[in-house]
């Protein structure tokens, strides 16, 4: 919609310029001069609207690209997904996507992917009894030690301690619920 409006606005500007050329080319009287002044004002309005429409179109495209990157991360976080692979699929340059994510989401692709993987790790630690080594492997860590080190750096506890604290918390909640029955 924005692109069609932008093209329309450019055509209107072109039409107004043609009219001005015709009127200024002839022997213009006072009425024609006033009409040309009105045309110039209308031309400025059209140019302004065209710029606004182009900007809205760019913003919409940026949001679409970022949403597509987010979708890829959510669907493929457990693969060796990279910014370059995503860029290649979208036929865009990796630096362009990096800048878009930075401006639209205030984060980089790598940071977003790491945070999403951490979120999934926490979910699996809370909801499953999957071994930590298997979680690390599913999240494409080279080894469990790297995963444990990263997890502790961000969460302040190891994955095992995190799981244990959630089990204790859930057991405590369960005990309170059992006592209230």
């Amino acid at each position: 919609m924005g692109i069609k409006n932008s093209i329309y606005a450019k055509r209107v500007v072109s039409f107004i310029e043609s009219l001005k050329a015709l009127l200024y080319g002839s022997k213009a009287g006072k009425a024609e001069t006033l009409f040309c002044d009105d045309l110039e004002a209308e031309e400025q309005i059209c140019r302004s609207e065209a710029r606004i429409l182009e900007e809205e179109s760019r913003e919409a495209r940026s949001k679409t690209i970022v949403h597509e990157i987010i979708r890829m991360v959510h669907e493929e976080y457990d693969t060796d997904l990279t910014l370059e692979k995503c860029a290649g699929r979208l036929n865009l340059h990796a630096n362009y996507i990096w800048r878009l994510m930075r401006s639209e989401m205030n984060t980089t692709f790598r940071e977003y992917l790491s945070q999403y993987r951490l979120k999934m790790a926490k979910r699996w630690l809370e909801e499953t009894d999957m071994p930590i080594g298997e979680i690390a492997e599913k999240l494409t860590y080279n080894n469990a030690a790297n995963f444990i080190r990263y997890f502790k750096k961000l969460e302040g506890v190891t994955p095992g301690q995190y799981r244990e604290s959630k089990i204790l918390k859930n057991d405590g909640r369960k005990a309170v619920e059992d006592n209230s029955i």
Side-chain angles (χ1 to χ4, degrees):
M1 183 77 174
I3 293 172
K4 288 181 182 177
N5 288 339
S6 177
I7 292 170
Y8 175 75
K10 287 178 181 177
R11 286 183 180 158
V12 169
V13 167
S14 177
F15 176 72
I16 290 170
E17 288 173 348
S18 298
L19 276 177
K20 282 183 1 189
L22 285 172
L23 290 171
Y24 279 132
S26 66
K27 294 182 180 175
K30 187 172 186 171
E32 288 85 0
T33 302
L34 289 175
F35 181 69
C36 284
D37 290 343
D38 288 343
L39 281 177
E40 286 176 1
E42 192 64 34
E43 177 184 7
Q44 291 304 317
I45 291 169
C46 287
R47 285 184 191 277
S48 214
E49 288 175 352
R51 280 191 297 275
I52 290 168
L53 291 171
E54 286 174 6
E55 181 62 29
E56 287 173 354
S57 177
R58 266 193 301 276
E59 287 175 14
R61 175 149 167 72
S62 295
K63 287 184 190 315
T64 300
I65 292 167
V66 169
H67 286 296
E68 185 61 19
I69 295 296
I70 290 170
R71 184 195 62 74
M72 286 182 204
V73 168
H74 289 205
E75 290 178 2
E76 302 175 46
Y77 64 90
D78 57 349
T79 67
D80 62 341
L81 189 64
T82 64
L83 178 60
E84 289 72 21
K85 286 181 182 179
C86 292
R89 290 183 197 166
L90 296 174
N91 295 318
L92 296 169
H93 196 282
N95 289 341
Y96 175 68
I97 292 175
W98 188 92
R99 282 192 316 270
L100 277 181
M101 289 197 68
R102 192 69 163 166
S103 68
E104 294 288 325
M105 297 182 62
N106 203 28
T107 190
T108 65
F109 174 83
R110 184 174 306 204
E111 290 168 350
Y112 185 80
L113 178 60
S114 295
Q115 287 298 316
Y116 190 76
R117 285 177 173 163
L118 182 68
K119 176 183 172 183
M120 293 308 298
K122 288 164 62 174
R123 178 182 290 168
W124 290 334
L125 288 166
E126 292 173 25
E127 297 175 2
T128 72
D129 59 352
M130 189 184 318
I132 292 169
E134 189 176 331
I135 292 173
E137 187 179 323
K138 280 186 167 232
L139 296 175
T140 70
Y141 283 89
N142 292 333
N143 59 53
N146 287 343
F147 169 66
I148 293 167
R149 195 173 12 262
Y150 178 76
F151 193 96
K152 185 171 184 174
K153 180 181 175 186
L154 293 179
E155 294 299 314
V157 295
T158 65
Q161 292 167 332
Y162 180 86
R163 175 179 271 161
E164 194 61 36
S165 72
K166 293 301 176 180
I167 290 172
L168 291 174
K169 190 175 183 180
N170 288 339
D171 287 348
R173 230 184 284 147
K174 195 173 189 180
V176 170
E177 289 173 3
D178 290 346
N179 287 336
S180 64
I181 293 179

